[in-house]
Amino acid sequence: RYRKTVIAGNWKMNMTATETKKFAEELKKIMPRAKWCDTLICVPACNIQTAAKAFKDLRISVGAENVYFEEKGAYTGEISADMLKDLGVKYVIVGHSERRQYFCETDTTVNKKVHAVLNAGMNPIICVGESLEQRETGITDEWIALQVKSALYGVPADKLRRCIIAYEPIWAIGTGKTATAEQAGEVCTNIRATIRSLYGARVARSVTIQYGGSMNPKNAAELLAQPDIDGGLIGGAALKPDQFVDIINAAN
Ligand code: 3PY
């Protein structure tokens, strides 16, 4: 394989620090020594330190769910890439559809955040995805290509290896609906083709592309068997230790 399989949890606005410790204790009992994939969980910013400590001997990296793109200054309430990096964060989700929908995230701010994360030496997990309306109108491929190109604008090839693209069809997020493995695989193949057109075949082969959107223990194996799906960004199922482990095992 040319690229890493990456299984990532996205806790969204769930779990207190106390619950984070409890989750880690339960996970410790069942976590496999997963050599076949990198595993991480993106947690609310206020729980990063707790999670970093609790996940340490589980070999789970800690990720953040968002970042602000400015380096420092008068931006009350925001958190910089350096602040995350200093806490041991390795991955940062950028442009999740919930942030685009509820917090005015645009392709422009997503691109600025991608640069901020890369410049701080971390790995962005860049989320793209179409709405149900866009899918039904038949513009999914153009839309996703536009999102990928915008997000990666100005990113040099040597930094692209550190980027993960997560394909999350908006209509499959938190709805219990999943794209079929073929539907998801097809979009991920097109994402790789877009990267190839920008950076060439060698770089495109090395980029990890995840599927996200109601991935669960039942559908994970089939989704992960698609040639261009190299992992998952997992919502609800990442809040339950047994389900998260089932998905890690499905990646083997
Ligand atoms: C989901 O699985 O619902 C997600 O949005 C993961 O990011």
Side-chain angles (χ1 to χ4, degrees), residues 66 94-96 99-101 103-107 109-110 113:
N66 184 32
V94 176
H96 192 279
R99 295 217 55 90
R100 295 182 193 252
Q101 188 179 345
F103 304 100
C104 308
E105 201 86 79
T106 65
D107 285 338
T109 57
V110 167
K113 290 180 177 194

Side-chain angles (χ1 to χ4, degrees), residues 9-237:
N10 171 16
W11 274 3
K12 310 191 179 184
M13 197 172 75
N14 294 294
M15 297 287 218
T16 62
T18 309
E19 288 164 343
T20 301
K21 282 186 223 162
K22 212 168 139 236
F23 175 94
E25 277 162 27
E26 280 174 43
L27 192 59
K28 209 165 277 183
K29 297 177 199 152
I30 53 173
M31 182 72 184
R33 280 193 152 266
K35 295 215 176 78
W36 53 88
C37 64
D38 285 0
T39 309
L40 65 121
I41 301 179
C42 300
V43 305
C46 58
N47 295 341
I48 287 170
Q49 269 183 305
T50 304
K53 210 168 145 210
F55 296 164
K56 208 169 170 190
D57 11 301
L58 289 166
R59 297 211 239 144
I60 295 176
S61 304
V62 178
E65 301 175 10
N66 184 32
V67 65
Y68 193 54
F69 50 78
E70 294 290 354
E71 257 173 58
K72 59 165 82 165
Y75 305 101
T76 303
E78 292 299 319
I79 295 172
S80 75
D82 280 346
M83 293 172 189
L84 296 176
K85 170 84 176 171
D86 194 60
L87 294 179
V89 168
K90 294 220 172 80
Y91 297 85
V92 184
I93 297 174
V94 176
H96 192 279
S97 66
E98 286 151 15
R99 295 217 55 90
R100 295 182 193 252
Q101 188 179 345
Y102 306 131
F103 304 100
C104 308
E105 201 86 79
T106 65
D107 285 338
T108 308
T109 57
V110 167
N111 177 248
K112 287 184 180 181
K113 290 180 177 194
V114 168
H115 282 283
V117 170
L118 288 169
N119 290 340
M122 298 181 291
N123 310 303
I125 300 176
I126 303 163
C127 300
V128 298
E130 82 287 3
S131 65
L132 189 57
E133 196 187 2
Q134 288 164 332
R135 174 160 285 269
E136 284 172 351
T137 338
I139 60 167
T140 298
D141 289 345
E142 289 93 333
W143 178 259
I144 303 290
L146 184 74
Q147 284 189 320
V148 170
K149 284 184 189 174
S150 310
L152 297 177
Y153 180 74
V155 173
D158 62 314
K159 282 190 176 156
L160 201 75
R161 288 166 206 288
R162 286 201 273 122
C163 297
I164 294 176
I165 312 287
Y167 167 57
E168 302 207 312
I170 297 169
W171 47 272
I173 292 177
T175 56
K177 276 192 200 171
T178 4
T180 64
E182 290 73 27
Q183 277 176 324
E186 197 183 307
V187 177
C188 292
T189 298
N190 287 331
I191 290 172
R192 200 174 307 284
T194 300
I195 297 172
R196 192 181 306 121
S197 74
L198 296 169
Y199 295 94
R202 202 160 53 91
V203 175
R205 254 201 317 262
S206 72
V207 174
T208 296
I209 301 176
Q210 295 175 322
Y211 172 79
S214 303
M215 188 185 267
N216 61 47
K218 285 208 182 83
N219 59 28
E222 202 190 351
L223 286 159
L224 294 166
Q226 293 289 315
D228 284 302
I229 298 182
D230 316 308
L233 184 56
I234 296 133

